[in-house]
Every structure is written in C-alpha cells, then in structure tokens.
Amino acid sequence: MSSSAGVDVHIHPPKVEVFDVPAMTNTDNKGFVRPVRVYREKPYGLYMSRTADHPRFTHLELWLLPELGLRANVFHFVDGYRPQQRLYLDVGRFRGPDSSGRWHSVDWYLDLVDNSGSPLALIDVDELFSAHAAGLMTTAECERAVEISTAALVGAAVAGGVQAWLNQQVGEPLTWLDRESE
C-alpha cells in the first residue's frame, strides 16, 4: 500500500530506545517505559535483562555494542515459537552512557538472525532501501549499515559462528545471565 507521495505506508522512522541505567528502565521504541531487572556496563557495551509483556516472548536480554554498530538480542520465546533462533542482531547507532547515565539506540532497519543449523542471515534489506527512498536514512547511514552487516556476516563465517565472533570482538565471552540459569 502506498501513500499519495508514493511512499510505503508501513515504512516507519528508525526505532529509537533509551536505556536509563540509573533509573533501571528501558524506554522502548513505542515510548513505553519498562522496568529493567539487570544492567551491566562494560568498556565495550551495555547488557540489559528485562521481562516482556509480548505475546511471542516473555523475557529479553541484549547487549548494546557501540563499536560494532550492533545490538545482540536473546528473546526468550514462548514454547514452540522460533525454537531455532539463538541471536537476533539489530544494526544501528548505539551510544552511551551520556552525562545522565543513559544509553541510546537508533535501529537502522537491517537485522541479522542466527538460527541453529543455518548460516547467519541478513534480513530487512527492503526496509533499509524504502527508508532511504522516504528520506528517513541518509546515504552515509545506509552505507554504514551495510558495512556493519558485512563485517558481522564475514566475521561469523570465519569465526565459526556469530557468538564466537562477538566474543573475539569484545575480547571476552559475552554472557547471557538468563541463559546461564536455564
């Protein structure tokens, strides 16, 4: 479906989130402020763990990795939903902490999905092109999104998996608190 300007109606601005470490909250892309169970700050990024009131998953863990331009997510899905998915990576701009202790994320549409038994998959390329055509992303941002995605795809292939590549990039194993307790 298109508007009169020829822009797809379903195209949305880049998703923006705030991770307020001092307040122990996460303001999601729809503006909902959610309580956070755990924040951990490291020199290379921010870990977050919180519950979710979503029909497909009950808990979310993530790492914001600013230098890599990635947000690595583990969704704790309800039984039977996407049982093969291990990691879901958002490509974008991630910064923090600011002077108030908050971290900020801007999702640049491209995503990488790590499913057991399959190579890392790049998805939502069409969304990136549509966002650029609609003036929601600059050419420089689109180029950077492609560079980030390419680095992750190649890195994961060479390292034998995306988790191994991420660990190499940050210099230690990225830990997932709620996976450790499963």
Side-chain angles (χ1 to χ4, degrees), residues 110-176:
L110 294 181
D111 300 304
L112 298 147
V113 183
D114 179 36
N115 287 313
S116 179
S118 300
L120 189 61
L122 175 64
I123 62 171
D124 298 335
V125 174
D126 58 333
E127 288 186 25
L128 179 68
F129 286 139
S130 294
H132 183 265
L136 298 171
M137 293 279 293
T138 67
T139 298
E141 289 170 330
C142 292
E143 288 173 355
R144 183 69 187 125
V146 170
E147 290 168 356
I148 291 165
S149 300
T150 302
L153 288 164
V154 171
V158 171
V162 69
Q163 183 72 53
W165 177 73
L166 290 170
N167 295 346
Q168 289 172 357
Q169 297 306 298
V170 302
E172 66 182 37
L174 282 181
T175 57
W176 304 94

Side-chain angles (χ1 to χ4, degrees), residues 16-94:
V16 176
E17 288 192 54
V18 177
F19 302 85
D20 192 332
V21 175
M24 294 297 290
T25 61
N26 166 224
T27 304
D28 72 14
N29 61 309
K30 293 180 176 83
F32 293 107
V33 179
R34 308 211 184 261
V36 171
R37 189 176 132 215
V38 177
Y39 272 127
R40 278 191 300 148
E41 291 180 276
K42 294 280 198 164
Y44 51 79
L46 176 71
Y47 170 83
M48 183 197 80
S49 174
R50 71 166 173 80
T51 59
D53 57 352
H54 194 278
R56 295 185 189 128
F57 61 95
T58 60
H59 201 92
L60 170 63
E61 293 182 84
L62 63 84
W63 276 100
L64 297 181
L65 302 167
E67 291 298 316
L68 299 178
L70 294 171
R71 169 181 160 164
N73 305 278
V74 170
F75 294 97
H76 295 263
F77 291 112
V78 297
D79 285 340
Y81 188 78
R82 295 188 183 177
Q84 301 302 314
Q85 185 174 304
R86 295 181 293 207
L87 287 176
Y88 190 97
L89 287 81
D90 297 295
V91 173
R93 183 177 61 239
F94 308 98

